[in-house]
Amino acid sequence: MSSLVSICIPTYNGEKYLNEALESVKSQTYKNIEVIISDDSSTDSTLEICNKFKNEVDFPVHIYSHKPSGIGANWNYTIEKANGDYIKFLFQDDVMESECILKMMFYLINHNLEIVVCKRSIIDEDSNEIIDGDWYKNYGDLQKAAGIEVKDFFTISKKNLRKLDYHHYSKNNIIGEPCVSIFSKKLVKKIGLFNIHLKQILDYEYWLRVLVYYKIGIIEEKLMKFRFHSQQTSTINFLQNVNEVSVITNHLFGKFLMYIDFKTAKHLLVQKYTLLKKIALIRYKIFP
């Protein structure tokens, strides 16, 4: 029997796109699924849409509503409530292709991995595919922008970082959004949950934690549709100048220094030493 996959859908005032996301759940060719919906006290028709969906399907749908505690807390809540052996995120404004879970599980099991991600097509507010523009040029293909060529399937490990541009992957997510991933509960037990104190890069910070212990499989096929629009969290954070890059650079320094190219690693060590020396001098009041 196939393993149970929990489709985790964190929601908040998602009525505009939610129906399309839920219809993509109905279309899945992989049938051993449940849906976990965690709602941050929506004030629109989100819960009505969710309850209607629950009454229309023959697989388990669990709906939870609670007071908002932040984006990371909502993601984590769905994981904590999941009964499946595997977690598949689906955000309220994104869409799965009909064979998304089936194909992702195929690669996951056949390559003996705990996590795989897929590439995604980009759609706009009207569900039309985006194939050009500045944002698409920079973020349309996260792996290609990082210098990773994925032909059918590619497995990235921490050792791959040596071949990549540090200044790119220290600032940019080279793995993907949570919606492009599927991972095991075994991985969650090892790595823990998402960092609830972060707003912008909590997914990339999590993938880097994963890379410390596990390889991540990347599927070339675009099995997800990622919606780019003005009201998505990443766009709002950008407009509000939310910058958490230092979290990534500190993490890379602490966990991946031996896997970064020698020239960059040496530069980082000199920077860190200079900063620590300056702090020590100030602390002991001997800085001129």
Side-chain angles (χ1 to χ4, degrees), residues 66-251:
H66 46 80
K67 292 182 179 179
S69 298
I71 183 173
N74 205 13
W75 296 4
N76 290 340
Y77 194 84
T78 63
I79 295 175
E80 291 170 339
K81 292 297 183 180
N83 301 298
D85 298 312
Y86 295 92
I87 303 297
K88 175 69 186 83
F89 270 110
L90 173 64
F91 290 167
Q92 63 190 19
D93 44 6
D94 300 327
V95 179
M96 292 186 290
E97 299 289 0
S98 62
E99 293 191 316
C100 177
I101 296 178
L102 180 68
K103 290 184 175 181
M104 294 188 83
M105 287 297 292
F106 171 82
Y107 282 100
L108 193 75
I109 301 302
N110 281 274
H111 289 271
N112 194 29
L113 296 170
E114 299 300 328
I115 176 172
V116 296
V117 301
C118 65
K119 289 185 181 288
R120 74 277 196 266
S121 55
I122 312 300
I123 57 176
D124 62 18
E125 296 183 10
D126 299 315
S127 299
N128 298 314
E129 186 173 2
I130 298 173
I131 58 173
D132 55 23
D134 291 340
W135 189 93
Y136 181 82
K137 181 180 178 181
N138 292 323
Y139 306 109
D141 189 324
L142 300 175
Q143 289 79 45
K144 186 176 181 180
I148 301 172
E149 290 295 331
V150 180
K151 296 182 179 179
D152 183 42
F153 187 73
F154 180 85
T155 303
I156 185 171
S157 70
K158 52 192 174 186
K159 294 181 180 179
N160 292 107
L161 296 180
R162 284 198 187 99
K163 301 178 181 179
L164 303 179
D165 180 1
Y166 170 82
H167 296 289
H168 181 85
Y169 68 76
S170 65
K171 297 178 182 178
N172 299 292
N173 185 343
I174 63 172
I175 305 300
E177 300 82 11
C179 67
V180 303
S181 70
I182 189 166
F183 51 88
S184 68
K185 271 291 192 69
K186 175 184 174 182
L187 179 147
V188 176
K189 289 179 181 178
K190 178 74 174 180
I191 306 301
L193 297 170
F194 288 91
N195 186 336
I196 62 173
H197 302 294
L198 299 175
K199 294 181 179 181
Q200 179 68 16
I201 50 87
L202 63 169
D203 50 351
Y204 190 35
E205 187 270 345
Y206 195 75
W207 305 147
L208 289 176
R209 276 194 274 146
V210 168
L211 271 178
V212 174
Y213 300 100
Y214 300 108
K215 296 177 179 179
I216 299 177
I218 303 173
I219 304 168
E220 180 185 24
E221 188 174 357
K222 296 177 180 179
L223 300 172
M224 286 293 306
K225 295 179 181 180
F226 175 77
R227 195 182 304 273
F228 176 64
H229 60 92
S230 60
Q231 296 304 308
Q232 64 191 154
T233 303
S234 57
T235 303
I236 294 171
N237 286 338
F238 175 78
L239 294 174
Q240 293 178 347
N241 295 316
V242 175
N243 189 336
E244 298 169 337
V245 171
S246 62
V247 175
I248 298 301
T249 53
N250 288 337
H251 191 69

